[in-house]
């Protein structure tokens, strides 16, 4: 997993300001890894349904309802559990996310 993808996912869960700024521009097919894509889809659905960032627990419950193969499911749950808050500089994060989306 690329570090930027994990940073993006972490901030979509723990940084509401960032989530609201970048959410409209991120597509699930930007994530090359099946587990990252699954976690992103769960984040996206939660935000669309509740208009707020999901908790790690909500992500794990949502992942149980996916049709991922066992190995991808385990990787996705591990990833969701690893999305703990870390401080990132907002402007830097926006710039890196924009570059990532363009790539």
């Amino acid at each position: 997993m690329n570090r930027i993808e994990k940073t993006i996912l972490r901030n979509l869960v723990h940084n509401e300001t960032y989530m609201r700024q970048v959410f409209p521009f991120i597509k699930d097919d930007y994530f090359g890894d099946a587990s990252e894509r699954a976690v992103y889809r769960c984040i996206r659905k939660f935000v669309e349904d509740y208009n707020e960032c999901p908790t790690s627990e909500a992500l794990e419950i949502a992942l149980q309802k996916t049709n991922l193969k066992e190995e991808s499911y385990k990787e996705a749950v591990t990833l969701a559990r690893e999305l703990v808050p870390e401080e990132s500089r907002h402007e830097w994060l926006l710039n890196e996310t924009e570059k990532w989306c363009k790539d």
Side-chain angles (χ1 to χ4, degrees):
M1 170 189 319
N2 271 334
R3 180 80 175 132
I4 189 66
E5 282 89 346
K6 189 171 181 179
T7 301
I8 289 167
L9 291 170
R10 177 175 47 264
N11 280 279
L12 288 173
V13 172
H14 295 290
N15 184 338
E16 188 168 354
T17 302
Y18 169 80
M19 181 272 293
R20 295 198 183 282
Q21 285 182 297
V22 303
F23 189 71
F25 305 105
I26 297 178
K27 296 180 174 35
D28 61 353
D29 60 343
Y30 291 176
F31 295 92
D33 182 79
S35 58
E36 293 171 352
R37 203 168 25 259
V39 170
Y40 175 72
R41 286 177 179 154
C42 291
I43 293 169
R44 179 173 212 70
K45 176 143 180 43
F46 191 94
V47 171
E48 289 170 349
D49 290 350
Y50 301 103
N51 197 30
E52 63 183 9
C53 298
T55 63
S56 294
E57 182 181 39
L59 286 179
E60 284 190 52
I61 291 168
L63 286 166
Q64 292 172 1
K65 299 174 186 175
T66 64
N67 60 353
L68 289 172
K69 293 181 180 171
E70 187 67 24
E71 186 174 324
S72 292
Y73 168 76
K74 287 179 182 178
E75 289 174 8
V77 168
T78 299
L79 173 59
R81 289 178 180 163
E82 291 174 350
L83 298 179
V84 296
E86 280 184 24
E87 189 169 331
S88 295
R89 296 289 178 226
H90 191 74
E91 198 63 36
W92 171 86
L93 185 57
L94 289 176
N95 287 336
E96 291 299 311
T97 302
E98 183 178 357
K99 288 178 200 172
W100 177 77
C101 285
K102 287 179 180 178
D103 289 343

